[in-house]
Amino acid sequence: MRILICEDSTLLREGLVRLLDDAGHEVVAALPDAGALMDAVATSTPDLCILDVRLPPTFTDEGIRAAVHLRAAHPEVAVLVLSQYVEERYAGELISTQSAALGYLLKDRVADVGDFLDAVERIGAGATVLDPEVVAQLLTRRGRDARMERLTERERSVLALIAEGKSNQAIAQTLFVTEASVEKHITSLFQKLDLEQDEHGNRRVLAALIHWENGTNR
């Protein structure tokens, strides 16, 4: 996989280059800030970009704003935000889009090199990989989403199990129904939540976010 890195810490940046090279990936650029990011993407055509949230010159939100811009300009490029921080405003915007693959991992919680490389592979292949702590911090106290009121009790049960990360087969076993029945409920709840079909399977993540945002006691 062709990978571009945007990280201000020289030690971490060079460490990522070595780690990814050793894993068989090609690091096409390693930038200390987001100033030349868009030009680098245009010239090096990466499959995946890894960005920190806080980059020079202000070390506030340059990196994640660049990620939002990147996904708008190059929706075919997968994005992995790797940071110590959850920038709630732009993180929510990133996750709510349905283009390309996306990851948001916290540096302090990446404890295993193998798990990190697996996440890189999955994101590059089109998956959405979110650290649970990122999701937890995004779940601010908002008013109940009116779309949730459209769901039947069985659809709510299916959605709750989706939010736990269960497969259709596991949901069927938990609810003592057939997989065909589960698929029917999932199709219905996606329609009621106004989640359009996409090739990356992000509807499950978006549905789970709606469920978490609106509480789990309904």
Side-chain angles (χ1 to χ4, degrees), residues 7-60:
E7 165 62 56
D8 66 287
S9 167
T10 301
L11 186 62
L12 179 56
R13 186 172 65 250
E14 294 304 317
L16 285 171
V17 171
R18 176 66 64 86
L19 177 65
L20 293 167
D21 279 343
D22 289 348
H25 300 292
E26 179 184 0
V27 177
V28 295
L31 311 176
D33 59 60
L37 175 64
M38 299 307 293
D39 287 341
V41 170
T43 57
S44 62
T45 61
D47 303 304
L48 169 70
C49 287
I50 300 176
L51 303 95
D52 193 359
V53 167
R54 300 183 178 182
L55 293 170
T58 68
F59 295 96
T60 55

Side-chain angles (χ1 to χ4, degrees), residues 52-130:
D52 193 359
V53 167
R54 300 183 178 182
L55 293 170
T58 68
F59 295 96
T60 55
D61 58 10
E62 285 89 348
I64 196 163
R65 285 192 288 107
V68 172
H69 186 194
L70 173 61
R71 279 174 66 84
H74 297 278
E76 76 283 0
V77 178
V79 171
L80 168 56
V81 176
L82 180 64
S83 182
Q84 291 178 301
Y85 311 97
V86 179
E87 209 298 326
E88 295 182 3
R89 175 185 174 189
Y90 293 105
E93 185 175 345
L94 273 176
I95 293 171
S96 65
T97 62
Q98 296 188 42
S99 61
L102 173 70
Y104 200 132
L105 301 176
L106 298 180
K107 293 176 181 177
D108 291 345
R109 290 167 56 86
V110 178
D112 184 87
V113 169
D115 289 344
F116 173 73
L117 291 174
D118 178 66
V120 167
E121 293 280 358
R122 290 165 59 200
I123 295 163
T128 300
V129 180
L130 305 176

Side-chain angles (χ1 to χ4, degrees), residues 155-189:
E155 288 166 351
R156 290 175 189 274
S157 297
V158 171
L159 178 55
L161 294 169
I162 288 176
E164 293 178 15
K166 292 187 180 297
S167 66
N168 288 7
Q169 181 180 19
I171 293 172
Q173 293 172 347
T174 300
L175 298 179
F176 301 102
V177 297
T178 64
E179 285 191 56
S181 179
V182 170
E183 291 172 1
K184 180 178 178 181
H185 289 309
I186 290 175
T187 297
S188 176
L189 70 87

